[in-house]
Amino acid sequence: MKATRNLIIVNVVIFIATMLNQEFMMSQFALFYPASRFFRWWQPLTHMFMHGGIWHIFFNMFSLWMFGSVIERYVGPRKFLALFLVAGLGGAALHLGVEWIQAGVYENAMAEGSQSALASYVSLCNTPTVGASGAIYGLLIAYAMLFPDATMMLLFPPIPMKAKWMVAIFAAVELFTGVTSIASGIAHFAHLGGMLFGWLMIRRWRRRGTLFDNRW
């Protein structure tokens, strides 16, 4: 599938560029909180083509190929690309929204003289977010909506499961780990945002009867 292949190529090229000049690429194209001195207006888009390591990009590109090629064949390259981008941007939006709430909590504590809140706020502003995971999770829920009874295989434990149930489990795990902060360093709400916007896109096209044509 052409669009899926081209997205993978773009991600790999940008990953190589990041390995060659990580400081510049991260400061310019990763996603930073808007109050950060590193924030640029284009980062909600560009961050989804950035990755932090070989395994990060490998699993994301493997998932993109596995789900994206099927979805692209089903809805066409234009709608597939729109789905990918909207899910990625939606993931960034929810992620930044949660950071805004966190920043508000830190700012209130800082006003009362909390040094730990100051350190947390500085960390929030200086921590980049990278990866196509928000967009990938949008594709994942789209796949489950289009092929709910398709059998998928869990990795741990390796048991078969229908797509609709697997995606429901993924969503529940992401919500739990995001709220409890058990797995820190992962943008759980970006994943949930991608799923939400992916669901909204497929639902909109279905309701308008435009899932298989060029109307939006």
Side-chain angles (χ1 to χ4, degrees), residues 95 102 173-189 191:
H95 175 73
Q102 292 176 323
V173 169
E174 289 297 328
L175 180 60
F176 176 76
T177 52
V179 170
T180 59
S181 300
I182 288 178
S184 60
I186 300 175
H188 299 289
F189 286 100
H191 299 170

Side-chain angles (χ1 to χ4, degrees), residues 65-146:
W65 177 258
M66 185 168 60
F67 297 110
S69 57
V70 176
I71 295 170
E72 182 184 354
R73 188 179 301 113
Y74 196 71
V75 303
R78 290 183 60 192
K79 276 192 165 60
F80 163 73
L81 186 59
L83 175 66
F84 180 89
L85 294 175
V86 169
L89 290 171
L94 186 59
H95 175 73
L96 291 176
V98 171
E99 284 194 329
W100 177 75
I101 294 172
Q102 292 176 323
V105 173
Y106 296 149
E107 288 168 351
N108 290 336
M110 287 160 53
E112 298 176 357
S114 172
Q115 293 300 308
S116 62
L118 174 60
S120 296
Y121 183 80
V122 171
S123 176
L124 183 149
C125 288
N126 291 329
T127 301
T129 299
V130 296
S133 299
I136 299 298
Y137 270 74
L139 298 182
L140 181 61
I141 197 168
Y143 181 88
M145 293 174 74
L146 297 172

Side-chain angles (χ1 to χ4, degrees), residues 31 34-35 38 41 57 65 70 98 113 147 178 183 195 200 205:
L31 178 61
F38 297 113
W41 64 265
I57 190 172
W65 177 258
V70 176
V98 171
F147 312 101
M195 295 183 82
L200 288 172
W205 289 333

Side-chain angles (χ1 to χ4, degrees), residues 25-65:
M25 294 293 291
M26 284 292 181
S27 65
Q28 293 298 311
F29 302 115
L31 178 61
F32 287 88
Y33 183 63
S36 171
R37 63 190 177 92
F38 297 113
F39 179 76
R40 304 291 186 269
W41 64 265
W42 55 79
Q43 290 174 355
L45 175 64
T46 59
H47 87 284
M48 70 180 77
F49 299 98
M50 301 281 293
H51 290 86
I54 187 65
W55 290 114
H56 190 200
I57 190 172
F58 172 78
F59 283 114
N60 272 351
M61 294 304 99
F62 176 75
S63 299
L64 174 56
W65 177 258

Side-chain angles (χ1 to χ4, degrees), residues 202-213:
I202 297 298
R203 186 170 182 268
R204 170 185 170 84
W205 289 333
R206 276 181 167 170
R207 292 186 65 182
R208 293 170 65 91
T210 60
L211 187 60
F212 302 110
D213 60 37

